[in-house]
Amino acid sequence: MGADSPYLDDTPAETVAHLQRRIAALEAQAERAAVVEEALRQSQERYELAMRGPNEGLWDWDPNTKELYLSARLLSILGQAEETIRTTSHEWLKLVHPTDVAAYEAGVTAHLKGYSDHFECEYRVRDHHGGWRWVLARGLAQRDADGKAVRMVGSIGDITDIKRREECLRDAHEALRQAHADLELRVAERTAELVAAKEQAEIASRAKSDFLANMSHELRTPLNAIIGFSDLMLTETFGPLGCARYGEYLGDIASSGRHLLAVINDILDLAKVESGKFELRVEPVDVAAIVASVVRLMAGRAADAKVTITTDLAPAAPRLMGDPVRINQILLNLVSNALKFTNAGGAVTIGLGPCADSDGLRLTVADTGIGMDPDGIAKALQPFGQIDTSLSRRYGGTGLGLPLTKGFVELHGGCLQMDSAPGKGTVVTLRFPARCLVMEAKRQDPPA
């Protein structure tokens, strides 16, 4: 050993011990270095994975020298194969889309001056193939004791796919908005057309009703003359006819005239109801008495049809404020229909009494006839409605009775309801509210 050896005065054994301890220390240091190196390697791997996951790369910029460091990951986003590159911010700006340069520089300047906590900007850069890619840049400035930025470090991520999806979404939203606007326009146009058509229909309906209502005198006068003169000739008031067959013809003329007059009267009455020109002659009406009158009037027809008519009248039923002629017409129409559509052996029942759910009056006409389905009910309540052409030919009728009856009931403040089923018969229920009834004073027994 040299003269300056630290182990000169040691014995050989001590020198060996010293060397062994030194070797052990070096080995321990080497192990620690390996651990640190492994930790650095794992940290580097985690960093690379973290940056690769969101497709981001790093940049490091010196605001004073303008020197810019770009990581390999960032360069790969731009389609370049270099590991890293050192360039300047001036060269980087040449890659930024001209439209985005102003916003990019404004964001950097604001952060360098301390106007923002961090730098963040979305802009486009040209890639290695000459295309444009959208990136999201984030950064944070490192400042000296005076607050001046001396370094700025951050990341850049590729958001091109996100922007494309956003553009597709915007296009879809715009297409949806345009479709919605077009639909609203078509709906508005269609609504305007329907409103115009409705107004035209209402005008035409009012014109028809007004015409029929105003034609009452012109239609009825000649018919009354035909019926009147045929009756005079039938009775041979001014002398014999001279031929028996003339009498038969005159009977047919009178019968046809009366039928035609009844139809015209129904049409005119319905036209007046629809046009709001029909006037009721209101007075207290004993509905029970009208029921009895109608039963007597229809008894012969019921006997011919072999149909039984019965009544179910509540005692002391209240009187109704109404037009007795129209109440009688209502009940005659309903009973006539019931007899018409009820086969031999069937029954028609007229009921009168209080409403079950109110203080009003209920009048019902029920039969065991052929009945009808819901569509048939809807048709029967329409003017000139015929449930079936075969039934029309078999049973006759103009289809005016029920609509006219419904109109008269509603003019009295009531409502008409039909319940029916094919083969099960029909029940027509008329309900008149309490305000339509005569409030009778309660009778008091004389004092004993």
Side-chain angles (χ1 to χ4, degrees):
M1 295 184 178
D4 57 349
S5 173
Y7 309 118
L8 183 61
D9 298 331
D10 292 344
T11 62
E14 291 175 339
T15 299
V16 170
H18 280 301
L19 290 174
Q20 289 177 343
R21 286 195 295 274
R22 180 60 178 167
I23 291 170
L26 291 173
E27 290 177 347
Q29 185 177 359
E31 290 178 357
R32 288 195 297 274
V35 170
V36 172
E37 184 178 353
E38 177 63 20
L40 287 174
R41 185 187 65 79
Q42 293 180 2
S43 177
Q44 181 66 21
E45 288 181 353
R46 284 194 296 271
Y47 158 75
E48 291 179 355
L49 287 172
M51 299 305 292
R52 189 181 303 118
N55 198 20
E56 292 187 358
L58 286 179
W59 55 270
D60 190 344
W61 179 54
D62 187 333
N64 298 315
T65 65
K66 309 303 181 185
E67 186 178 10
L68 178 64
Y69 162 80
L70 305 176
S71 71
R73 184 61 185 162
L74 193 156
L75 293 172
S76 69
I77 292 175
L78 301 179
Q80 300 181 13
E82 292 90 345
E83 288 296 324
T84 59
I85 190 174
R86 288 188 178 276
T87 182
T88 65
S89 54
H90 296 299
E91 294 298 321
W92 177 254
L93 277 176
K94 295 178 181 179
L95 300 177
V96 178
H97 194 285
T99 307
D100 302 333
V101 169
Y104 171 78
E105 289 184 322
V108 173
T109 302
H111 182 57
L112 290 178
K113 292 183 177 181
Y115 297 154
S116 61
D117 294 335
H118 65 281
F119 163 71
E120 182 172 321
C121 182
E122 293 181 357
Y123 58 97
R124 287 161 288 180
V125 294
R126 189 182 301 277
D127 61 18
H128 185 65
H129 304 290
W132 295 104
R133 302 196 69 81
W134 277 97
V135 296
L136 171 61
R138 295 188 181 95
L140 191 64
Q142 182 181 357
R143 304 180 186 275
D144 59 16
D146 297 328
K148 181 181 179 182
V150 296
R151 184 183 182 189
M152 193 169 175
V153 180
S155 65
I156 287 182
D158 187 355
I159 59 172
T160 304
D161 291 341
I162 295 175
K163 284 293 185 178
R164 286 173 180 167
R165 288 193 293 270
E166 288 178 352
E167 185 177 359
C168 291
L169 188 60
R170 283 195 300 271
D171 291 343
H173 283 168
E174 176 60 23
L176 182 61
R177 187 198 64 78
Q178 186 61 44
H180 185 266
D182 292 343
L183 180 60
E184 285 186 337
L185 179 61
R186 288 197 295 270
V187 169
E189 292 175 348
R190 183 57 178 160
T191 301
E193 292 174 359
L194 291 175
V195 169
K198 178 176 178 292
E199 291 176 351
Q200 290 296 324
E202 290 175 347
I203 291 172
S205 178
R206 286 195 298 269
K208 176 207 70 175
S209 298
D210 291 343
F211 170 76
L212 290 175
N214 293 330
M215 287 296 291
S216 173
H217 176 72
E218 285 74 7
L219 290 173
R220 284 187 173 124
T221 299
L223 272 175
N224 286 328
I226 292 171
I227 295 170
F229 285 127
S230 62
D231 286 341
L232 284 174
M233 295 175 72
L234 276 173
T235 57
E236 299 182 346
T237 304
F238 300 107
L241 296 176
C243 180
R245 184 163 293 183
Y246 289 160
E248 296 177 4
Y249 292 162
L250 287 172
D252 292 338
I253 292 172
S255 175
S256 299
R258 290 189 182 92
H259 175 72
L260 183 57
L261 182 60
V263 171
I264 290 175
N265 285 337
D266 285 347
I267 293 175
L268 294 174
D269 287 345
L270 185 60
K272 286 184 177 181
V273 170
E274 289 180 344
S275 64
K277 295 182 177 180
F278 197 95
E279 295 182 2
L280 297 175
R281 297 181 178 180
V282 179
E283 62 183 68
V285 178
D286 186 349
V287 182
I290 289 181
V291 171
S293 174
V294 168
V295 170
R296 288 193 299 270
L297 185 62
M298 302 298 289
R301 182 174 169 184
D304 293 340
K306 298 181 181 179
V307 174
T308 303
I309 297 182
T310 58
T311 59
D312 181 13
L313 310 180
R319 289 185 297 170
L320 176 69
M321 288 300 298
D323 187 328
V325 174
R326 303 310 166 188
I327 297 297
N328 186 76
Q329 187 176 352
I330 288 170
L331 194 55
L332 276 174
N333 284 344
L334 294 178
V335 175
S336 176
N337 272 350
L339 291 174
K340 182 190 301 183
F341 294 104
T342 300
N343 295 325
V348 174
T349 303
I350 305 173
L352 179 66
C355 294
D357 55 352
S358 67
D359 295 331
L361 184 67
R362 172 183 52 82
L363 177 62
T364 61
V365 177
D367 63 62
T368 60
I370 61 175
M372 67 189 89
D373 57 21
D375 289 340
I377 293 175
K379 290 180 181 178
L381 291 174
Q382 294 297 320
F384 304 100
Q386 295 288 350
I387 303 172
D388 189 338
T389 55
S390 62
L391 292 179
S392 175
R393 289 192 297 269
R394 178 180 175 185
Y395 296 102
T398 59
L400 292 174
L402 278 176
L404 188 57
T405 297
K406 182 174 180 291
F408 284 153
V409 171
E410 292 173 352
L411 279 178
H412 283 83
C415 64
L416 182 149
Q417 176 184 336
M418 292 186 68
D419 298 290
S420 185
K424 302 294 184 180
T426 302
V427 179
V428 180
T429 304
L430 313 181
R431 291 184 175 88
F432 300 93
R435 68 175 184 276
C436 300
L437 306 182
V438 178
M439 296 294 102
E440 306 284 359
K442 293 184 179 179
R443 294 182 180 179
Q444 296 182 350
D445 295 334

